[in-house]
Amino acid sequence: ASTAARLSYNANAVFALCSWPFSLKLLWAPIVDSIYCSAFGRRKSWLVPVQGLAGLLMIGGSDFVERQLGLEEYIPAISSAGAD
């Protein structure tokens, strides 16, 4: 198989994984709807913790992304250039 064909298989596999949360919604939606804080309301009770978790995941994953892109040696140079 050519490189283009392998890439399309990988892209299809990743795209298929993106649909899993929607498929599993039937299982987790009743739990999320039944547990809520009246101070936040029914929708914000799960939205606020999920947004906090997403933020922590992005902050924690930024180091991994920098290493994958090879940017770890450039970050100190960029920050020190702004201080001049």
Side-chain angles (χ1 to χ4, degrees):
S2 69
T3 303
R6 282 195 301 263
L7 289 176
S8 66
Y9 288 140
N10 289 340
N12 283 333
V14 169
F15 187 70
L17 287 176
C18 292
S19 67
W20 273 29
F22 299 104
S23 300
L24 297 175
K25 184 178 178 181
L26 292 172
L27 299 175
W28 61 263
I31 298 168
V32 169
D33 286 340
S34 66
I35 301 171
Y36 68 95
C37 176
S38 60
F40 276 137
R42 193 173 285 272
R43 296 191 191 280
K44 290 182 189 173
S45 290
W46 67 270
L47 189 62
V48 171
V50 167
Q51 285 182 340
L53 184 64
L56 290 174
L57 184 65
M58 287 182 199
I59 290 170
S62 65
D63 184 49
F64 174 75
V65 171
E66 287 175 1
R67 281 186 277 123
Q68 291 298 314
L69 294 175
L71 297 176
E72 63 271 356
E73 65 269 4
Y74 297 114
I75 299 301
I78 292 169
S79 63
S80 66
D84 293 338

